[in-house]
Amino acid sequence: MLLVTGLVLWWPTRWPPSLRIVLNRGLLRGLFDLHRTGGAVLGLLIAVSVATGAYMAWRPLGDFISAAMGQKPVKAPTIAKGTAQGPRLPLDELVARAQQVHPGQPIGYVAVPGKADRPVRVRFKLPDDPHPNGISSVWLHPVTGEVLAARKWQELDAGNGSVAVIFPLHTGELGGVVHEIVTALLGLALGGLGFSGIWLWWRRRRTAAEAARRSAAVARPSS
């Protein structure tokens, strides 16, 4: 929202816009130009990180995309009632059974649910999976060790499968070290825009209050 409103406030009436930054006319003018021009230039790049983060944080977006493409979102398998009674198998044994599905492939993530009636999920990093932790998954029954489902990342619906690219795009791992450095700098720039925006707002309120006091003092009749 801040990026959108900032772009609206920056939008020039004449094109091409001026991207000039003046640093020799005081701190206030320099910071204003940096905030205004820097936000306009870097806004689109920062928006990529914001949009990808929002996509991963708000799962209904993925379901909406899958539904729009006529696909049914892939959900974790359910465990029949009454079959989850008894002690869970050791985690090492569950992982070993999952590795039988993808032998020799590195494990990127193991999700152990808090409730016994939900499956254990083991994620693998397959050679063609762009996700740094892998999203090719094997779900197992926590008590019996039965493999309930196994899906490679290409077999997921569009909304869930796209996370394989969106996550490394968000973190910068998709493009290697250069991309990671750019992503880190954009994060610092976003913080700088927030700080400079608050400071400029405070200075504007302070200046307006001082001007109002001076006007009131001038208008006050002398006794």
Side-chain angles (χ1 to χ4, degrees):
M1 183 62 68
L2 292 176
L3 288 173
V4 174
T5 55
L7 183 62
V8 171
L9 292 173
W10 167 84
W11 197 264
T13 56
R14 295 182 179 180
W15 287 83
S18 174
L19 301 178
R20 184 182 179 188
I21 298 178
V22 179
L23 299 177
N24 58 353
R25 295 187 181 179
L27 177 62
L28 183 61
R29 172 60 189 273
L31 195 59
F32 175 81
D33 284 351
L34 284 172
H35 180 87
R36 184 174 182 272
T37 303
V41 173
L42 300 177
L44 291 178
L45 296 177
I46 294 175
V48 172
S49 295
V50 173
T52 52
Y55 183 90
M56 292 184 294
W58 199 47
R59 293 299 180 87
L61 282 176
D63 294 343
F64 174 79
I65 291 176
S66 297
M69 298 182 65
Q71 300 176 352
K72 185 177 181 180
V74 174
K75 302 294 184 182
T78 58
I79 296 178
K81 292 183 178 180
T83 63
Q85 298 178 355
R88 294 183 179 183
L89 290 177
L91 186 59
D92 289 343
E93 184 174 344
L94 291 171
V95 170
R97 295 193 182 191
Q99 287 178 313
Q100 294 176 5
V101 179
H102 298 298
Q105 301 303 321
I107 295 174
Y109 190 84
V110 178
V112 181
K115 297 182 179 180
D117 60 347
R118 295 183 180 179
V120 174
R121 181 186 183 186
V122 181
R123 285 167 44 179
F124 288 86
K125 178 69 173 71
L126 301 185
D128 58 347
D129 191 340
H131 196 292
N133 300 322
I135 59 171
S136 300
S137 303
V138 177
W139 288 271
L140 305 105
H141 195 296
V143 176
T144 66
E146 175 190 359
V147 175
L148 301 175
R151 290 186 177 89
K152 296 182 179 180
W153 72 277
Q154 307 98 318
E155 299 170 349
L156 298 174
D157 57 282
N160 286 308
S162 59
V163 175
V165 177
I166 289 177
F167 181 86
L169 177 62
H170 178 76
T171 60
E173 296 177 79
L174 187 64
V177 176
V178 174
H179 191 182
E180 290 179 336
I181 293 174
V182 171
T183 301
L185 293 176
L186 288 175
L188 294 175
L190 180 60
L193 289 172
F195 172 79
S196 60
I198 293 174
W199 191 82
L200 289 169
W201 170 81
W202 175 78
R203 281 298 301 267
R204 183 177 181 179
R205 285 180 59 89
R206 181 180 176 183
T207 301
E210 291 176 351
R213 284 195 297 268
R214 287 195 297 266
S215 298
V218 172
R220 187 181 302 116
S222 58
S223 55

